Amino acid sequence: MISTVRRTFGGLAWPAYLVGCVLVALVYFSIPQSNATDPLRIALYCGISASAVPALLYGVRIHRPRRALPWLLIAGSQAVYCLADTIFYTSHSLLDITTFPFIADVFYLAHFPLIVCGLLLLIRARSPRRDLLSLIDATVLAVAAGLLSWLYLIKPLTRGDDPVLTTAAYVAYPVLDLALLAVALRLLLDHGPRPPSFFLLAGNLLAFLGADSVYVLQRIDGSYSAGNFLDVLWLAGNIALGTAGLHPTMVALTRTGPGRELGLSPVRVTTLAAASLIAPGILAFENARVSTGYVNAIAVACAVLFLLTLARLVVMVSEQRRLAVTDSLTGLYTRRHFEMELPKALARAARARNRLAVFILDVDYFKSINDRYGHPVGDLVLVEIADRLRAVVREDDVLARHGGEEFAVLASAVTAEDVRVVAERLRLAVAREPITVGDGQSIRVTTSVGAAQTTGHDDDPVKIVAAADRALYSAKAEGRNRVAVGDRPVPVAAVDHPSALSYLHSVSDQVDQCLSSHSHGRAVGDYARVVCRAMGGDAATVHDTELAGRLHDVGKVVIPEAVLSKPAALDDAEWALVRRHPDHGYYLLRSVPELHDIAEIVRQHHERWDGKGYPLGLAADAIRFEARIISVCDAWATMLADRPYRRPLTMDEALQELRDGRGTQFDPAVVDAFLRLHAEGEIHRLPPLFAPASD
């Protein structure tokens, strides 16, 4: 009930605040300036400025963002700014004090460090991994702005005969604005989510930066007067900030954004090019005032050479990106590109209210082709199959080589009735005639096709592909060279799930024997079961968490035993091998259709809360709940175990390690739950860590 009320009032607060502040601002601008009306105007103006502070604090309380500190720092900055507004307008309008600098300027300048720190924390939350491209882009724009500011704002201020304190105050504004601009640009260019609150906060920053720049120019030429048109920008910025804090999407502003491909949009490239041409442009402009000699020619040549270099880099990066998502043998897209496009296609389909279909094709008996004719012939067969599939898919469909002899198709706007029709078209495209492989030889090749369609709401990319995979297993189990549609159960004859699971358990135990003297997988599974149940997981989630914990290291079976049991520190190459074990485990478990979810959990168990983990670099809530639990339980069991490369930690040392990793390596909620269970003795009630393994 309380949460429902909070959501209701939280959803109504921001439009009420926005409308109320706009009405107050209209009243402010409708009142003419005079001695009699100045107190009222000051109260209205400062009231709008001050209102953003409780708005931000109320938004934090109602919406409960995962990281509240950035918003609290921004609120603190606004409180200092409001105090400066009150002092400035009171002294200017009521006391006729126009001295510069004045005490108000101390508070105006003091608000900059707070808001810069708040924005830096936002950026860190949104981009926990180093996003060097956005950092470089922001630096290019900031340097260009800094050059303009130095030449036309800061340098003119240092040429006068004003007192040192006055000059320092004049210079401080553009310098601190530049610092704020650099951080704001980094925020605007990052890969984090961009809900309405993002644009409201950006509006606040741009309004303040623009107004501050004009304010300094007016101070230079002596044209500034309190209450001029700059009040429009400052008030608009205050209103935008308060609305950003109250808007429900403010919680999304501190979430980690998805990784993106290289930012080569025309807008970004054009903006960077324009910023980089500012220096030679200013050089030519300034030189034209005194001379038309060689300097202008040099400036033009520098600009042309830069543009040509930039064009070459754009073409080179575009080609590298194309090669990165293109299979070298068939010319089709790679599996990585397919997996990147699927979530985007789901989002587009949700907006258009249509449904997608995923088709997985597997070449029947392809191993026998390689064994009989050789791998070069097998490659020719794959190339011909790719050409035949390319001829029958639509231009907007995504056709990819999904694995060795597997192909995948992502088709948009496919009705339920057409799924089987499209699948049959793909199958027949391959099987319509034998493939000629040279010397008059031809091979009859067929494919089995599994298809699955999205539901149109809350679709999970992993589950859609898993459903198509299960359908493919059905098609192969029923005789091959046929189509299976839908999330159908795999016949028992196709995959002996109990036998497969028993085998995976034995593989996990084999890995444990190489690493230490205890049954690590069993221990992690036990810990994970208890923690998941304590955190409110339902029966299915508890079961999946325990099983994934039991099998989390199964991918290490492909790592040489000499590396696993090496008594010394691993070198870089050996660490690279070890860090691939979540992916190895993922692909091994995916071979069993019923374990697709378990495979994804295992793949993510070395991801970190701060986004610095592997293999996917996921962060915070993007990591599966079960994997976040296993991460803590795995660390606990590892710290207490005798590994070849280090001594076991004491209980107290291990507990401190969990506390130290809270909020960086580990999900804080999981750490809190584990520590609570440990304090209550629940962890101690589990089988001892060094209990002998038994089946």
Side-chain angles (χ1 to χ4, degrees):
M1 180 63 182
I2 294 176
S3 61
T4 302
V5 172
R6 280 179 175 168
R7 286 195 298 270
T8 302
F9 281 98
L12 295 176
W14 73 268
Y17 174 83
L18 177 62
V19 172
C21 285
V22 170
L23 291 176
V24 173
L26 291 175
V27 173
Y28 169 80
F29 288 113
S30 68
I31 299 175
Q33 285 185 271
S34 67
N35 291 336
T37 60
D38 280 348
L40 177 59
R41 286 172 55 84
I42 293 172
L44 293 175
Y45 184 94
C46 294
I48 293 176
S49 178
S51 69
V53 178
L56 289 165
L57 297 177
Y58 185 71
V60 170
R61 180 180 178 185
I62 290 296
H63 302 306
R64 301 182 182 278
R66 182 165 51 86
R67 290 183 173 90
L69 183 56
W71 288 106
L72 296 177
L73 286 172
I74 294 173
S77 165
Q78 183 64 17
V80 175
Y81 193 88
C82 170
L83 179 60
D85 273 345
T86 304
I87 297 173
F88 176 82
Y89 283 98
T90 300
S91 60
H92 246 68
S93 301
L94 298 184
L95 304 178
D96 198 26
I97 299 175
T98 58
T99 304
F100 182 84
F102 191 59
I103 186 64
D105 294 291
V106 175
F107 291 102
Y108 277 130
L109 297 175
H111 99 283
F112 281 98
L114 289 171
I115 191 168
V116 166
C117 289
L119 294 177
L120 286 173
L121 289 177
L122 274 182
I123 293 168
R124 182 180 179 185
R126 293 161 60 84
S127 304
R129 292 179 295 170
R130 290 187 301 171
D131 184 0
L132 293 181
L133 290 179
S134 294
L135 179 60
I136 292 172
D137 291 350
T139 304
V140 169
L141 298 176
V143 169
L147 178 61
L148 290 172
S149 179
W150 168 255
L151 290 175
Y152 300 113
L153 289 180
I154 299 174
K155 196 170 183 181
L157 291 170
T158 61
R159 289 175 179 169
D161 54 359
D162 294 320
V164 175
L165 185 60
T166 301
T167 301
Y170 276 137
V171 172
Y173 278 102
V175 169
L176 290 173
D177 275 332
L178 278 176
L180 180 58
L181 174 64
V183 176
L185 288 171
R186 177 65 179 82
L187 176 67
L188 293 173
L189 294 175
D190 73 14
H191 293 167
R194 300 192 174 189
S197 59
F198 174 87
F199 294 102
L200 288 166
L201 180 59
N204 163 264
L205 296 173
L206 295 176
F208 273 45
L209 289 168
D212 285 353
S213 300
V214 177
Y215 169 75
V216 173
L217 288 172
Q218 291 182 346
R219 280 291 190 183
I220 292 174
D221 61 24
S223 63
Y224 176 74
S225 62
N228 68 7
F229 72 92
L230 293 180
D231 286 356
V232 176
L233 292 176
W234 279 318
L235 285 177
N238 288 324
I239 295 171
L241 181 60
T243 308
L246 287 173
H247 200 281
T249 59
M250 61 93 75
V251 298
L253 218 58
T254 56
R255 290 177 183 164
T256 304
R260 293 183 184 176
E261 297 180 24
L262 295 179
L264 290 175
S265 67
V267 173
R268 178 171 284 204
V269 172
T270 302
T271 302
L272 293 174
S276 300
L277 291 176
I278 286 177
I282 291 175
L283 181 62
F285 172 74
E286 293 294 332
N287 184 67
R289 298 195 300 182
V290 294
S291 169
T292 57
Y294 295 112
V295 175
N296 283 346
I298 294 172
V300 171
C302 287
V304 171
L305 288 173
F306 167 76
L307 291 176
L308 290 174
T309 304
L310 179 64
R312 187 181 188 282
L313 289 173
V314 169
V315 172
M316 182 178 68
V317 172
S318 298
E319 181 64 14
Q320 290 294 326
R321 184 171 62 181
R322 184 190 68 79
L323 292 174
V325 299
T326 304
D327 177 60
S328 59
L329 176 65
T330 62
L332 302 180
Y333 286 122
T334 60
R335 177 176 186 153
R336 176 176 179 271
H337 179 78
F338 181 87
E339 292 177 344
M340 290 175 60
E341 285 297 311
L342 182 53
K344 300 176 187 177
L346 286 172
R348 289 193 297 268
R351 290 193 296 269
R353 296 186 177 181
N354 56 38
R355 297 169 68 180
L356 302 177
V358 171
F359 304 88
I360 307 292
L361 299 85
D362 185 82
V363 182
D364 296 327
Y365 304 110
F366 183 73
K367 185 177 183 300
S368 65
I369 296 175
N370 279 333
D371 292 344
R372 181 176 179 182
Y373 299 99
H375 288 280
V377 170
D379 289 346
L380 288 176
V381 169
L382 293 176
V383 171
E384 177 61 24
I385 291 174
D387 290 340
R388 293 183 180 186
L389 293 176
R390 192 185 285 113
V392 297
V393 300
R394 298 172 301 181
E395 184 177 351
D396 294 336
D397 295 341
V398 177
L399 172 61
R401 185 179 177 190
H402 203 241
E405 65 272 19
E406 277 192 6
F407 298 85
V409 178
L410 172 60
S412 58
V414 178
T415 65
E417 295 76 17
D418 287 339
V419 173
R420 182 172 289 276
V421 174
V422 174
E424 281 291 345
R425 185 189 304 142
L426 295 171
R427 185 186 68 81
L428 292 173
V430 176
R432 68 174 185 266
E433 59 185 23
I435 295 176
T436 302
V437 295
D439 296 332
Q441 286 186 312
S442 60
I443 304 173
R444 180 171 181 79
V445 178
T446 62
T447 58
S448 301
V449 184
Q453 190 176 33
T454 62
T455 62
H457 57 84
D458 297 329
D459 289 305
D460 184 334
V462 173
K463 292 183 179 179
I464 294 168
V465 174
D469 260 340
R470 285 192 287 272
L472 173 62
Y473 275 99
S474 293
K476 296 177 79 69
E478 292 169 6
R480 292 180 168 80
N481 191 24
R482 65 191 65 215
V483 166
V485 178
D487 193 2
R488 301 170 57 187
V490 181
V492 175
V495 177
D496 186 353
H497 173 63
S499 297
L501 191 55
S502 177
Y503 170 73
L504 291 170
H505 284 170
S506 68
V507 171
S508 177
D509 291 340
Q510 179 184 340
V511 169
D512 287 345
Q513 291 170 11
C514 294
L515 289 172
S516 65
S517 60
H518 78 283
S519 184
H520 181 77
R522 295 172 187 270
V524 172
D526 287 340
Y527 297 146
R529 178 187 71 249
V530 173
V531 175
C532 185
R533 184 180 295 132
M535 295 186 71
D538 57 29
T541 304
V542 171
H543 171 271
D544 287 354
T545 306
E546 180 179 11
L547 181 55
R550 174 75 171 85
L551 301 175
H552 73 284
D553 272 345
V554 72
K556 289 182 178 178
V557 71
V558 303
I559 300 173
E561 185 173 344
V563 174
L564 291 180
S565 58
K566 184 177 179 180
L570 302 181
D571 59 29
D572 291 343
E574 290 166 339
W575 265 119
L577 282 175
V578 172
R579 287 166 66 92
R580 293 177 62 185
H581 82 268
D583 274 331
H584 294 320
Y586 168 75
Y587 290 115
L588 180 60
L589 293 171
R590 280 187 89 249
S591 64
V592 181
E594 291 89 341
L595 298 183
H596 281 90
D597 275 353
I598 307 301
E600 191 60 41
I601 298 169
V602 167
R603 192 184 201 182
Q604 297 181 19
H605 80 275
H606 273 300
E607 303 292 342
R608 288 172 54 112
W609 184 255
D610 59 9
K612 297 179 181 178
Y614 60 90
L616 303 174
L618 303 177
D621 295 336
I623 308 169
R624 289 190 61 140
F625 172 64
E626 304 95 327
R628 284 180 265 147
I629 292 176
I630 292 170
S631 175
V632 172
C633 299
D634 179 31
W636 174 259
T638 300
M639 289 186 289
L640 297 181
D642 55 331
R643 289 297 170 95
Y645 49 85
R646 62 149 182 81
R647 68 169 181 84
L649 301 185
T650 66
M651 193 80 70
D652 289 340
E653 288 173 334
L655 290 172
Q656 188 58 47
E657 287 289 327
L658 292 185
R659 297 187 189 99
D660 292 343
R662 184 184 183 278
T664 53
Q665 181 176 354
F666 307 120
D667 180 347
V670 177
V671 172
D672 292 345
F674 191 96
L675 294 177
R676 184 179 69 254
L677 290 167
H678 185 276
E680 294 171 354
E682 293 298 322
I683 300 299
H684 304 301
R685 295 190 180 97
L686 294 170
L689 188 61
F690 292 91
S694 59
D695 283 311

